[in-house]
Amino acid sequence: MATGRGLIADFERAFDEFFDEMLIDRWKGGTGPLEFERAQVVDLADRYEVRVAAVGVDPAKIQAEVAGQRLAVRVPDKLGGLLDSSFAFSDSIDGEASTAKWSEGTLVITLPKKKGRRIALKAS
């Protein structure tokens, strides 16, 4: 059961994510990051796959960063800035094993889920 402090932290995190994704990203991009509105997230047993349409974007300028249970993707906009979008997942992601591929205007990011580690009990 979550403590009061844990609930407050969860609420603050959800509020920050809402504010970042729904408001700030739209202000930065004028009409908004349309590429990310068409993003497709697939939850498979051992990994997540995120597909982002970014037609006309130089793939060498796309930035993707994984931290804990989040993926941040930055794509250059027409004004020389960056459009940011982030995705939150229920499972932790193995950032070291994550990969990204570019094909015909679509970025496909594969994010393996971290596996739990079983702890052996020792007799005291």
Side-chain angles (χ1 to χ4, degrees):
M1 182 172 183
T3 64
R5 188 172 186 77
L7 290 174
I8 292 171
D10 289 345
F11 174 78
E12 288 174 347
R13 185 172 31 259
F15 184 80
D16 288 344
E17 288 173 12
F18 168 80
F19 201 84
D20 288 346
E21 294 171 10
M22 299 304 290
L23 300 175
I24 292 175
D25 287 346
R26 296 194 192 292
W27 291 336
K28 286 181 182 175
T31 61
L34 299 177
E35 295 86 0
F36 299 123
E37 290 177 4
R38 292 190 310 257
Q40 179 183 28
V41 179
V42 181
D43 184 353
L44 302 167
D46 62 339
R47 68 189 182 283
Y48 295 104
E49 285 187 4
V50 178
R51 294 183 177 109
V52 180
V55 177
V57 173
D58 179 359
K61 295 184 178 182
I62 296 174
Q63 302 170 10
E65 182 179 328
V66 175
Q69 294 173 277
R70 295 184 61 83
L71 166 67
V73 179
R74 293 171 196 86
V75 177
D77 68 11
K78 294 176 180 139
L79 301 174
L82 292 174
L83 298 175
D84 297 323
S85 190
S86 63
F87 304 87
F89 303 97
S90 57
D91 295 299
S92 291
I93 298 166
D94 185 349
E96 297 296 319
S98 297
T99 60
K101 294 181 184 176
W102 179 260
S103 177
E104 299 177 16
T106 301
L107 174 65
V108 178
I109 303 172
T110 303
L111 307 160
K113 295 176 183 178
K114 276 192 176 178
K115 296 177 182 164
R117 192 180 116 218
R118 191 169 270 182
I119 301 171
L121 298 176
K122 296 179 183 180
S124 51

